[in-house]
Amino acid sequence: ACFELKHCIDEGLPVVPISVNASRIDFDVPDLPQQIADLADRYGIDHSLLHIELTETAYSDNPEAVTQMLFSLKEMGFSIELDDFGAGYSSLVSLNMLPLDVMKLDMSMIHQATELGDFRIVESTIKLAQILGLKTVVEGVETAEEAQKVKEMGCDLIQGYYYSKPLRREEFEEYLTR
């Protein structure tokens, strides 16, 4: 991620933050926050351009240690994202304990809402995130109708095939310049 960000900066391309998934195993590394900061600094990357994503399962294994690491990362200027919210057994209590910046709604939520024609859960989750001061990302948006619906609900960012399929580096650079 740092290499790609540095490449975009050096090539004069538009620079967008990159989200990096941190797994359960990553949180077993005691100096993880410092390792990430050192890597970003080595490439000259502003910490705000790296977003650290964790899933609820990564948090649930060792909540105290993970929470402390996330606070350290946030203090260092990294954004913290809760990925795949709503896919498993979401603990609403953990939302108050984690230093989150972004809640990413799992794609299964939008797919089910579209299938049922009932977006109340999606809308309520977006409102919950807003009340907590979190930005929202809805994953899995595939149609113009879905995109319009979640925009009307106040979603901050939308991710999914409606905008683009996953791209190789060269394709992404071309996409950035459009």
Side-chain angles (χ1 to χ4, degrees), residues 10-149:
D10 290 347
E11 295 297 316
L13 296 167
V15 179
V16 295
I18 294 180
S19 297
V20 178
N21 289 78
S23 72
R24 291 184 200 161
I25 296 169
D26 292 325
F27 287 105
D28 289 338
V29 178
D31 64 338
L32 176 70
Q34 193 58 54
Q35 284 187 24
I36 293 172
D38 290 345
L39 187 60
D41 294 345
R42 188 171 336 134
Y43 280 91
I45 301 303
D46 187 293
H47 293 187
S48 66
L49 292 174
L50 280 177
H51 294 198
I52 309 303
E53 282 189 8
L54 79 149
T55 60
E56 292 170 282
T57 55
Y59 169 75
S60 62
D61 282 353
N62 190 352
E64 296 82 19
V66 170
T67 299
Q68 184 56 45
M69 285 187 194
L70 294 175
F71 272 106
S72 294
L73 286 161
K74 190 168 177 91
E75 287 172 9
M76 293 175 176
F78 298 100
S79 287
I80 310 299
E81 299 181 352
L82 181 59
D83 194 21
D84 298 335
F85 185 81
Y89 297 100
S90 305
S91 171
L92 297 177
V93 174
S94 67
L95 294 176
N96 268 338
M97 302 184 67
L98 297 171
L100 300 172
D101 298 294
V102 177
M103 178 192 291
K104 295 180 80 173
L105 282 66
D106 187 72
M107 68 175 63
S108 63
M109 292 180 76
I110 192 76
H111 292 168
Q112 183 185 60
T114 299
E115 186 177 300
L116 298 174
D118 185 349
F119 285 79
R120 290 178 297 173
I121 297 292
V122 173
E123 185 172 18
S124 298
T125 305
I126 291 170
K127 282 187 185 353
L128 172 63
Q130 291 169 341
I131 290 167
L132 295 171
L134 305 176
K135 291 203 177 298
T136 53
V137 177
V138 174
E139 300 175 318
V141 173
E142 296 181 355
T143 68
E145 295 78 22
E146 290 173 341
Q148 186 59 38
K149 269 257 202 242

